[in-house]
Amino acid sequence: MTRRPLPRILSNGGAQFARSRELARTAADSATDVLHPLITITRGLRRLAAAGRRRWAQTPKERRGALLFLAASVILVVALVPYGPLLAAITLTASAAWQGRDRAATAPDGPDESQSQRLTSLYEALVPYFSTAEDPDPLYAHGGAWDKAFPTYAFDGGARISHLVVRYPPYFADGEADARARIEHLLAAKSGRGREYHFTWDEEDNQLTVRVLMPLAADIAAQRFVTAPGEIVLGFTDRTRVRRTLPVVCGEQRRDVHPVLWRTGPRSTEPHLLALGRPGSGTSTLLRSVALQALRHGDVVIADGGGTGEYACLTGRDGVLAVECGLAGVLASLEWAAHETERRLIAINRAHQAGHPPPDDTRRPLWILLDRPSAFTHLAAADDRKDPQSLLQVPLRHGRLANVTVVVADQLDSMETLSEPVLHHTRARVVLGPATAGLLESVLGAPPHTTPVDEVPPGRGYARLGTGPVHRLQVPATPHPYDDATTDAHRQAVLDLLPPRTAPADEATVPEPAEGGPEPADQEPEPAEPEPVPALTKPTQTP
């Protein structure tokens, strides 16, 4: 059978289609060249409109009327000036052409000489850790190429590594904490000290991602945060670690930040908090921030072991049951808190047995804040009196059911003086100030995923709630408002959060006088109601 020839349209159709595509591409390129000015101006107008919308959104509501009046005045002047609309159109077209220009800068094909030298030195430093003599095709070898080991890299303006992806051989023990720590320490040292690095180990793909973390915002002052009852904002962290955001006011700007929220109350799994730090690291600032937030829905008892009057601004305020600085007052307050916890437990148990809801006086949260209890421990031992920490056993063990929360803050070098109940029941931990990775792991129970630095601002540290991840933390600025070194803005922010006074300052609890001085007289109890509420009864001082 003879084969019939293909139709002509099918024999040369491919060539015709190719020529048609080439003609269409040429026409499109020509149209793009002709319409390029119009495309540029259109892109510039879109960018100018977006900038105007952002400016309008950032303008406070009380200033928008003035801004509209100013814009209307400018339009009226332009309309009345001879050739004003023409000049305005020319100016707008020129601005749009300038804003719509192609800003794409030509990126270099590879690293420059200094960057290549830095990557080479980093590669050579990793060879002893990622190579063995038995490997037939080693990924790391002296004199080898680093491009296969570092598929992704980026540098900052100072020619230092800001982002790096490291491939390592499958036989590396990436599941051992010590092996990981050695690699992380080496990468942090070779990439540049003084910065915080975040390490992400991908054990399935044998890759390590190193990323430089931006400093946390340290300019956020104390304010009324948008939280539910029982939620306490300990501070702020990275956006990659927390999904929830909170709106805050920083100066005249509003922005969303990512908080570290500590949830308290009967349903909390971490009902008590322990904060440790170096002197001047911000533990007292953290306690003031917690106290101001707790006073919105509860009552507070404060024991100040520092003796510097850090909580004098809270004396006599509504909801502040006591601010004690002396050993006798602290013992009386904590003994009352222990009895109040037992009373609440009995009342709640009776209500449950009777099938009734808990009484109202047991629902209001009670906060016990202790700053430097180790100082009271030494005073009690010298005076042969009871250790105040022993009175915390009942609130720590049963406080969650009775709506009693304990917050303890002390220095890192005094951690050995903390009692066993304090260390055992405070499962929410905060460490502020410079600290080594080993010390952070011993306090928090897990190592941080970042490299600690030696110099940090006050209120900067790490936090871990129970068995959760370790977060970087920056405590909101809550300074002592009576301190002369405090800025006016931060001082006013704290004063605005203080509750009103319910008693004159001279009638409130005062520090215990020095040894050998006159003892303060017991205060007369206030007239009691027919059925007084013990939760709101101020503890008396017993010397």
Side-chain angles (χ1 to χ4, degrees), residues 410-431:
D410 214 321
Q411 298 183 3
L412 282 171
D413 53 3
S414 303
M415 187 175 178
E416 294 80 5
T417 61
L418 297 178
S419 63
E420 183 62 27
V422 172
L423 296 176
H424 180 71
H425 293 284
T426 53
R427 301 180 66 248
R429 300 289 180 91
V430 174
V431 179

Side-chain angles (χ1 to χ4, degrees), residues 146-192:
W146 56 263
D147 53 352
K148 294 183 179 180
F150 306 145
T152 305
Y153 55 87
F155 292 86
D156 57 9
R160 295 198 299 177
I161 297 176
S162 60
H163 180 77
L164 182 66
V165 176
V166 180
R167 294 180 55 198
Y168 56 88
Y171 50 79
F172 175 72
D174 53 4
E176 299 179 2
D178 295 338
R180 288 188 176 190
R182 287 192 296 267
I183 299 300
E184 292 175 359
H185 178 74
L186 175 63
L187 291 174
K190 291 296 182 180
S191 300

Side-chain angles (χ1 to χ4, degrees), residues 52-53 55-57 59-77:
R53 287 195 299 268
R55 178 63 179 175
W56 178 261
T59 303
K61 294 183 178 180
E62 61 273 9
R63 297 185 180 181
R64 293 182 178 180
L67 183 61
L68 287 176
F69 177 77
L70 179 61
S73 302
V74 172
I75 293 175
L76 180 62
V77 171

Side-chain angles (χ1 to χ4, degrees), residues 31 40 58 67 86 172 176 235 307-308 329 339 435 460:
T40 302
Q58 294 175 359
L67 183 61
L86 179 60
F172 175 72
E176 299 179 2
T308 57
H339 292 315
R460 173 70 175 82

Side-chain angles (χ1 to χ4, degrees), residues 115-404:
Q115 296 174 354
S116 179
Q117 184 178 1
R118 186 178 290 270
L119 292 174
T120 302
S121 62
L122 182 59
Y123 173 83
E124 293 291 339
L126 292 173
V127 169
Y129 300 93
F130 287 153
S131 63
T132 58
E134 295 80 8
D135 192 351
D137 186 15
L139 181 61
Y140 289 83
H142 291 289
W146 56 263
D147 53 352
K148 294 183 179 180
F150 306 145
T152 305
Y153 55 87
F155 292 86
D156 57 9
R160 295 198 299 177
I161 297 176
S162 60
H163 180 77
L164 182 66
V165 176
V166 180
R167 294 180 55 198
Y168 56 88
Y171 50 79
F172 175 72
D174 53 4
E176 299 179 2
D178 295 338
R180 288 188 176 190
R182 287 192 296 267
I183 299 300
E184 292 175 359
H185 178 74
L186 175 63
L187 291 174
K190 291 296 182 180
S191 300
R193 298 183 182 273
R195 300 184 298 174
E196 289 186 271
Y197 297 90
H198 182 267
F199 301 95
T200 304
W201 291 84
D202 188 358
E203 300 178 1
E204 296 181 355
D205 295 334
N206 299 320
Q207 287 187 355
L208 169 62
T209 303
V210 185
R211 182 169 54 89
V212 177
L213 296 175
M214 298 297 295
L216 296 176
D219 56 347
I220 302 177
Q223 53 194 278
R224 293 191 180 276
F225 301 111
V226 184
T227 56
E231 291 183 344
I232 300 297
V233 177
L234 298 179
F236 309 100
T237 185
D238 303 295
R239 61 181 181 179
T240 58
R241 307 292 292 176
V242 177
R243 296 182 179 179
R244 180 174 174 178
T245 60
L246 282 182
V248 297
V249 178
C250 185
E252 297 183 355
Q253 297 181 353
R254 294 180 179 269
R255 56 184 177 182
D256 293 336
V257 295
H258 299 263
V260 178
L261 289 177
W262 173 39
R263 293 176 175 85
T264 61
R267 298 184 181 277
S268 174
T269 57
E270 301 85 20
H272 308 295
L273 175 69
L274 174 62
L276 300 174
R278 307 286 183 186
S281 59
T283 53
S284 298
T285 298
L286 176 61
L287 255 66
R288 265 192 303 271
S289 177
V290 172
L292 293 176
Q293 297 180 63
L295 286 172
R296 296 174 58 184
H297 307 286
D299 301 322
V300 175
V301 175
I302 302 176
D304 183 12
T308 57
E310 291 287 338
Y311 309 94
C313 60
L314 297 172
T315 303
R317 300 285 179 175
D318 185 15
V320 181
L321 303 183
V323 179
E324 301 290 351
C325 300
L327 178 60
V330 170
L331 289 174
S333 299
L334 295 183
E335 186 174 1
W336 171 86
H339 292 315
E340 172 65 11
T341 304
E342 295 175 349
R343 185 199 68 81
R344 291 189 175 199
L345 289 175
I346 295 174
I348 293 174
N349 187 24
R350 289 177 178 175
H352 289 170
Q353 291 181 356
H356 300 300
D360 294 337
D361 59 345
T362 62
R363 295 181 181 180
R364 184 171 176 83
L366 174 63
W367 293 75
I368 305 174
L369 308 182
L370 283 85
D371 193 357
R372 294 200 62 188
S374 59
F376 295 119
T377 300
H378 293 296
L379 291 177
D383 202 15
D384 196 16
R385 305 182 73 171
K386 183 185 297 185
D387 186 2
Q389 296 187 53
S390 62
L391 299 174
L392 294 176
Q393 185 171 0
V394 174
L396 286 171
R397 180 172 296 179
H398 307 287
R400 183 174 66 88
L401 300 178
N403 277 324
V404 178

